[in-house]
Amino acid sequence: MNNENTKRILADNVRLLRTKKRFSQEAVAELAGIGQNQISEIENEHANPNLETIIRIANAFEVKVSDLFI
């Protein structure tokens, strides 16, 4: 799996989980302890978040990290 595919999968899953839970980008960012702009950049495939950020996002959604990449 290349970097572009990984970014697309992460973006799609973050957006899907966020909309399923009816969270705004701001709400996810607050729960994850990161900036709202990071959520936006991830959803728009413009970011390469580090592992800590990915773990924080997974925790905000109460899912496993692997769920963000399926």
Side-chain angles (χ1 to χ4, degrees):
M1 185 179 305
N2 69 35
N3 189 40
E4 294 304 312
N5 285 342
T6 303
K7 285 168 56 172
R8 184 173 305 112
I9 291 167
L10 178 62
D12 290 346
N13 286 328
V14 168
R15 188 178 306 105
L16 178 66
L17 286 166
R18 184 175 62 76
T19 55
K20 274 179 130 175
K21 292 186 177 266
R22 298 180 183 209
F23 288 165
S24 65
Q25 288 181 345
E26 293 83 6
V28 175
E30 186 174 324
L31 288 168
I34 61 176
Q36 180 272 329
N37 61 320
Q38 285 183 281
I39 298 297
S40 176
E41 289 177 358
I42 290 167
E43 287 188 7
N44 290 301
E45 301 176 36
H46 296 139
N48 288 314
N50 62 31
L51 181 58
E52 180 181 344
T53 300
I54 292 169
I55 291 169
R56 288 173 175 251
I57 292 169
N59 289 340
F61 288 127
E62 298 179 335
V63 299
K64 294 183 256 177
V65 169
S66 60
D67 292 338
L68 298 176
F69 295 96
I70 296 174

